[in-house]
Amino acid sequence: MNKLILGLTILSSILMNAQTQIIAHRGYWQTNPLTTENSLKALENAQKLKIYGAEFDVRMTKDGFLVINHDEHHGKMEVSETDFKELAKLKLSNGEKFPTLKDYLKQGKKDASLKLIVEIKPAKTPELENEIVKKTIQTIKDLKLESQSEFISFSLNVCKEIKKAGPNFKVQYLEGNLSPQQIKAEGLDGIDYHYSVFEKNPTWISEANSLGLITNSWTVNDLEVYKKLKEQGLKFVTTNVPHQLKEK
């Protein structure tokens, strides 16, 4: 009996650890030598790590091209106020071309085991956000990547528009200002909050799990923070150091 209890305890521990999966924040770019976040090379690096997924940021140029860029600016150019032709003149710091969403998704399609975590950045108007959502989903459908793609956004409007356009897509909210119960009521699939939000609301992870919501946290680079979140039952972490947390 004691051996059985010990075995169940070990199995439970293994399953608990397995529940927290790793997502590379803007790809895996903190390599040696360093590459550039949101680059095709960073995505390729994440594919080689054999982790759950890689997150990346989608914006739209003035003339309607969807591009991969975290900040509002590419160099000194504001992405939403500049045509793609001008933005493309400035390469990434690793020498790559300024990536379009289509470029990025084509690289992502090379490894079907890695989920593509698509963050659609908030735009200046709901109308622009709706256009970005429509174009992003159409590009994903054109490349037949629906089952490989999941979505996150700081914009509640974006999240709800994605669910309208594709009810089967997994969509998580990033802002951190809604409780798990509110997220469930909005019809979304999960919460992806900065770890400080969970520190201030220590019951939210267990509440979200009990509601069947996805639980994720960004940007978890500290091992102690990671351990605490795992102990609370967090299912995913998004990190700049996926190679380090993968081993823990």
Side-chain angles (χ1 to χ4, degrees), residues 196-228:
S196 62
V197 175
F198 294 125
E199 290 173 346
K200 294 174 185 174
N201 301 277
T203 63
W204 276 11
I205 292 175
S206 61
E207 288 173 14
N209 286 337
S210 68
L211 289 169
L213 296 172
I214 300 166
T215 52
N216 195 349
S217 185
W218 56 270
T219 302
V220 181
N221 302 323
D222 182 272
L223 182 57
E224 291 307 311
V225 172
Y226 177 53
K227 286 179 178 177
K228 288 177 183 177

Side-chain angles (χ1 to χ4, degrees), residues 36 59 67-80 82-84 86-93 96-99:
T36 304
R59 293 185 179 274
V67 295
I68 308 303
N69 201 67
H70 175 267
D71 297 341
E72 292 183 6
H73 291 77
H74 175 51
K76 295 182 179 180
M77 298 173 284
E78 186 174 350
V79 173
S80 64
T82 309
D83 288 344
F84 177 72
E86 294 302 311
L87 292 162
K89 291 178 181 178
L90 178 62
K91 292 185 176 181
L92 301 184
S93 60
E96 285 186 23
K97 295 187 299 182
F98 186 54

Side-chain angles (χ1 to χ4, degrees), residues 6-170:
L6 178 60
L8 290 173
T9 301
I10 292 171
L11 178 60
S12 176
S13 176
I14 291 170
L15 290 173
M16 179 61 73
N17 288 336
Q19 286 177 344
T20 304
Q21 300 197 64
I22 307 297
I23 295 168
H25 186 231
R26 307 177 202 168
Y28 174 32
W29 49 275
Q30 287 203 20
T31 49
N32 188 13
L34 284 172
T35 190
T36 304
E37 60 186 35
N38 274 327
S39 64
L40 298 186
K41 182 61 178 175
L43 176 55
E44 182 184 345
N45 290 341
Q47 289 169 329
K48 292 176 181 176
L49 269 185
K50 299 303 176 185
I51 54 178
Y52 180 83
E55 179 265 357
F56 56 95
D57 305 288
V58 179
R59 293 185 179 274
M60 188 168 68
T61 67
K62 184 179 180 181
D63 53 345
F65 282 79
L66 297 181
V67 295
I68 308 303
N69 201 67
H70 175 267
D71 297 341
E72 292 183 6
H73 291 77
H74 175 51
K76 295 182 179 180
M77 298 173 284
E78 186 174 350
V79 173
S80 64
E81 297 298 327
T82 309
D83 288 344
F84 177 72
K85 182 172 69 174
E86 294 302 311
L87 292 162
K89 291 178 181 178
L90 178 62
K91 292 185 176 181
L92 301 184
S93 60
N94 68 352
E96 285 186 23
K97 295 187 299 182
F98 186 54
T100 64
L101 174 62
K102 192 172 183 180
D103 293 334
Y104 207 88
L105 292 176
K106 283 182 175 180
Q107 176 62 41
K109 193 169 184 177
K110 293 178 182 180
D111 182 0
S113 69
L114 186 84
K115 294 292 185 182
L116 301 170
I117 313 300
V118 186
E119 179 177 347
I120 297 180
K121 287 293 186 182
K124 293 180 178 178
T125 67
E127 291 75 22
L128 281 171
E129 290 185 345
N130 296 350
E131 182 182 350
I132 296 170
V133 167
K134 182 179 178 180
K135 287 183 172 181
T136 299
I137 290 177
Q138 188 59 56
T139 305
I140 286 169
K141 287 182 175 179
D142 289 345
L143 290 169
K144 296 180 171 55
L145 284 168
E146 295 98 315
S147 63
Q148 199 176 334
S149 302
E150 300 179 9
F151 294 86
I152 56 176
S153 184
F154 282 95
S155 165
L156 186 59
N157 174 62
V158 165
C159 290
K160 293 170 78 168
E161 282 298 308
I162 295 167
K163 290 301 288 185
K164 286 180 189 175
N168 292 328
F169 283 127
K170 292 180 181 178

